[in-house]
Amino acid sequence: MRVERLVINEMGTNCYIVSGGDGGAVVIDPGGSIEPIEEYLQKRGLVVRAILLTHGHADHLMGLEALRERTGAPVYVHEADAEMLTDPAKNLSAFMGRPVVCRPAEHRLKDGDVLEIGGLMVKVLHTPGHTPGGVCLDIAPQGASIRPKVVFTGDTLFAGSIGRTDFPGGSYEVLLASIRKSLLPYEDDTVIYPGHEEDSTIGDERRYNPFLRDEEGVR
């Protein structure tokens, strides 16, 4: 399994291209220009099988419509964030001076869903707190004898920090509970690929992240 990280907007949002073994790939959070995405796909000879959204904020979906039109790939978003795609006020783009309006997603996700896409197995972890429908995505090659420990955490958990909770639908307590329930059970060497900044591991976040280290009962 190959993971490519692209930073494609001025807000530093990470877009990931994850490819398996059959020439297929999924794109996670196309939050800006799709030109770098297309260049990488062409270079690797990959076909986009799905576009996955970790949540519905505009900085994670500004390139969504262009990529969907270019590739024909279906879009997946958690059901609690589905309306954010079509509503600039809810996805916060109305307040940025560049309203983003997308068509509805073809698929609405729920906690525990398992998707088989492009040679990949994708497990959906519902982690509300940054948004009501925020998700993390546990992805591994389909049928792999040794499963890599990789989770794409969106704006739920960052290297040394956690997602903001001061936007509509956010909750500090809910976010910490989500991290505790869905992410901290992973082994220390599990790699996290967040929605902004660099990757980390669950072990490093357990030990050094001040929001987790100081939260009673999280360790």
Side-chain angles (χ1 to χ4, degrees), residues 9 41 48 85 130 137 157 169 171 176 178 184 190-191 197 205:
N9 66 33
L41 295 170
V48 180
L85 273 63
H130 179 64
L137 303 168
L157 179 63
S171 168
L176 285 177
S178 293
L184 292 187
T190 301
V191 177
E197 303 297 339
E205 297 316 301

Side-chain angles (χ1 to χ4, degrees), residues 37-46:
I37 299 173
E38 292 185 308
E39 289 178 356
Y40 179 81
L41 295 170
Q42 184 175 13
K43 176 182 177 182
R44 293 288 178 182
L46 297 172

Side-chain angles (χ1 to χ4, degrees), residues 90-111:
K90 291 182 178 180
N91 66 39
L92 305 184
S93 63
F95 310 103
M96 298 163 54
R98 292 182 294 172
V100 175
V101 179
C102 302
R103 290 177 288 136
E106 283 81 5
H107 301 281
R108 297 190 177 193
L109 300 170
K110 296 180 180 180
D111 184 52

Side-chain angles (χ1 to χ4, degrees), residues 149 183-192 200-207 219:
K149 302 168 185 176
L183 296 178
L184 292 187
Y186 280 90
E187 296 179 9
D188 280 357
D189 59 348
T190 301
V191 177
I192 67 164
S200 183
T201 65
I202 289 294
D204 280 352
E205 297 316 301
R206 197 192 314 275
R207 287 187 290 271
R219 294 193 64 182

Side-chain angles (χ1 to χ4, degrees), residues 1-217:
M1 186 176 80
R2 181 184 293 270
V3 177
E4 179 73 6
R5 180 174 71 97
L6 301 172
V7 181
I8 54 177
N9 66 33
E10 64 274 17
M11 289 165 279
T13 305
N14 290 329
C15 170
Y16 296 100
I17 304 173
V18 188
S19 52
D22 72 344
V26 299
V27 176
I28 301 172
D29 292 347
S33 169
I34 68 167
E35 184 175 335
I37 299 173
E38 292 185 308
E39 289 178 356
Y40 179 81
L41 295 170
Q42 184 175 13
K43 176 182 177 182
R44 293 288 178 182
L46 297 172
V47 176
V48 180
R49 306 294 188 192
I51 303 169
L52 309 177
L53 302 177
T54 60
H55 63 289
H57 283 156
D59 63 316
H60 290 254
L61 52 83
M62 287 189 290
L64 173 60
E65 278 308 304
L67 186 63
R68 174 157 54 177
E69 290 176 8
R70 195 68 59 90
T71 64
V75 175
Y76 294 73
V77 68
H78 190 273
E79 57 186 359
D81 276 11
E83 292 184 1
M84 297 173 75
L85 273 63
T86 60
D87 189 331
K90 291 182 178 180
N91 66 39
L92 305 184
S93 63
F95 310 103
M96 298 163 54
R98 292 182 294 172
V100 175
V101 179
C102 302
R103 290 177 288 136
E106 283 81 5
H107 301 281
R108 297 190 177 193
L109 300 170
K110 296 180 180 180
D111 184 52
D113 283 351
V114 177
L115 314 174
E116 298 180 12
I117 307 171
L120 301 169
M121 188 78 70
V122 181
K123 181 179 180 181
V124 178
L125 310 171
H126 183 210
T127 53
H130 179 64
T131 65
V135 299
C136 296
L137 303 168
D138 176 330
I139 302 183
Q142 197 170 345
S145 57
I146 300 177
R147 180 182 176 88
K149 302 168 185 176
V150 172
V151 182
F152 297 82
T153 57
D155 285 6
T156 295
L157 179 63
F158 302 124
S161 190
I162 61 175
R164 290 180 61 169
T165 57
D166 56 339
F167 294 128
S171 168
Y172 181 79
E173 292 76 17
V174 170
L175 185 61
L176 285 177
S178 293
I179 294 170
R180 186 185 307 118
K181 173 186 174 183
S182 297
L183 296 178
L184 292 187
Y186 280 90
E187 296 179 9
D188 280 357
D189 59 348
T190 301
V191 177
I192 67 164
Y193 289 104
H196 299 267
E197 303 297 339
E198 301 296 325
D199 58 279
S200 183
T201 65
I202 289 294
D204 280 352
E205 297 316 301
R206 197 192 314 275
R207 287 187 290 271
Y208 306 122
N209 190 313
F211 294 93
L212 306 184
R213 188 183 63 231
D214 297 336
E215 175 67 14
E216 183 179 356

